[in-house]
């Protein structure tokens, strides 16, 4: 990750009650919560996903990432529009101890190449076959990239999300717990890339603590109930 910003936005911080834990721990906590984690439209109507349902799906996808051979600290990218699978992939990566790089869904093949190369992503989640085709155009220039996963449809040389879930079913559940124990709150979790309007996109480095603190503050200032 050669050209990311030199420092994370918060840096190393002292432990506080507010800035606690990692996103892997947060997913484990989700399994114990009640209420609705996510609501989305499936084309026919609105679908509610409970916290335990989301946590189980995230764990299956995280297990799939482990099954593909990704190691703690490896980078994956998400090249997709806003959708439930984006959230699931993001948190599955966290659960597996990985770093997530973001690619805006309208990016060109060349723009995606820059981010995939800069982040050294070993895997990229893509919206659909059309998005995967953009990656395929530049795949020969990306020696670190080993896997492409599509959220919907099928693409040559890519794994479907259901395939990834299936791989996760073969992974020991304790492996995700062990991986979570290897991640520190001040470890890097995500690279949010700038628009690139003033030059090549640069990655803003955010740690698990950065994200957990933002979530904790949100709970303090907004009345968020289980519904």
């Amino acid at each position: 990750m050669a050209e990311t910003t030199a420092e994370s936005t918060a840096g190393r911080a002292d432990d506080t009650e507010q800035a606690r834990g990692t996103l892997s721990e947060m997913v484990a906590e989700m399994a114990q919560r009640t209420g609705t984690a996510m609501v989305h439209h499936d084309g026919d109507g609105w679908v509610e996903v409970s916290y335990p349902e989301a946590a189980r799906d995230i764990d299956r996808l995280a297990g799939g990432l482990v099954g593909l051979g990704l190691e703690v600290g490896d980078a994956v990218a998400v090249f997709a529009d806003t959708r439930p699978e984006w959230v699931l992939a993001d948190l599955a990566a966290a659960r597996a101890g990985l770093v997530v790089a973001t690619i805006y869904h309208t990016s060109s093949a060349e723009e995606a190449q820059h981010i995939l190369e800069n982040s050294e992503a070993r895997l990229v989640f893509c919206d659909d076959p059309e998005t995967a085709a953009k990656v395929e155009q530049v795949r020969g220039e990306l020696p670190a990239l080993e896997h492409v996963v599509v959220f919907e449809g099928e693409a040559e040389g890519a794994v479907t999300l259901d395939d990834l879930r299936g791989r996760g079913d073969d992974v020991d559940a304790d492996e995700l717990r062990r991986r979570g124990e290897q991640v520190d709150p001040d470890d890097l979790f995500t690279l949010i890339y700038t628009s690139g309007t003033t030059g090549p996109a640069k990655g803003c480095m955010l740690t698990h603590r950065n994200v957990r603190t933002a979530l904790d503050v949100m709970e303090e200032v907004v009345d968020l109930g289980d519904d």
Side-chain angles (χ1 to χ4, degrees), residues 108-219:
S108 66
E110 291 72 23
E111 290 167 335
Q113 176 186 346
H114 167 70
I115 292 174
L116 291 168
E117 184 176 24
N118 183 252
S119 64
E120 299 177 359
R122 292 185 60 192
L123 177 147
V124 57
F125 290 97
C126 293
D127 241 337
D128 49 31
E130 289 73 21
T131 307
K134 292 183 182 180
V135 174
E136 190 61 31
Q137 290 178 41
V138 296
R139 196 164 181 174
E141 305 299 320
L142 299 167
L145 185 65
E146 301 171 32
H147 308 285
V148 176
V149 180
V150 287
F151 287 154
E152 64 178 87
E154 297 182 358
E156 186 175 353
V159 175
T160 68
L161 212 57
D162 281 341
D163 288 340
L164 191 64
R165 291 186 178 100
R167 290 173 182 268
D169 292 338
D170 297 329
V171 173
D172 182 1
D174 286 339
E175 175 62 19
L176 297 181
R177 177 186 55 78
R178 288 192 290 268
R179 281 176 170 247
E181 291 172 351
Q182 296 178 53
V183 179
D184 185 86
D186 289 310
D187 285 342
L188 180 65
F189 167 58
T190 195
L191 295 164
I192 306 296
Y193 278 84
T194 60
S195 63
T197 53
T198 59
K202 299 174 180 63
C204 176
M205 301 168 69
L206 299 178
T207 65
H208 288 259
R209 190 189 301 275
N210 289 143
V211 179
R212 287 297 301 258
T213 300
L215 293 174
D216 290 340
V217 169
M218 182 68 72
E219 287 188 334

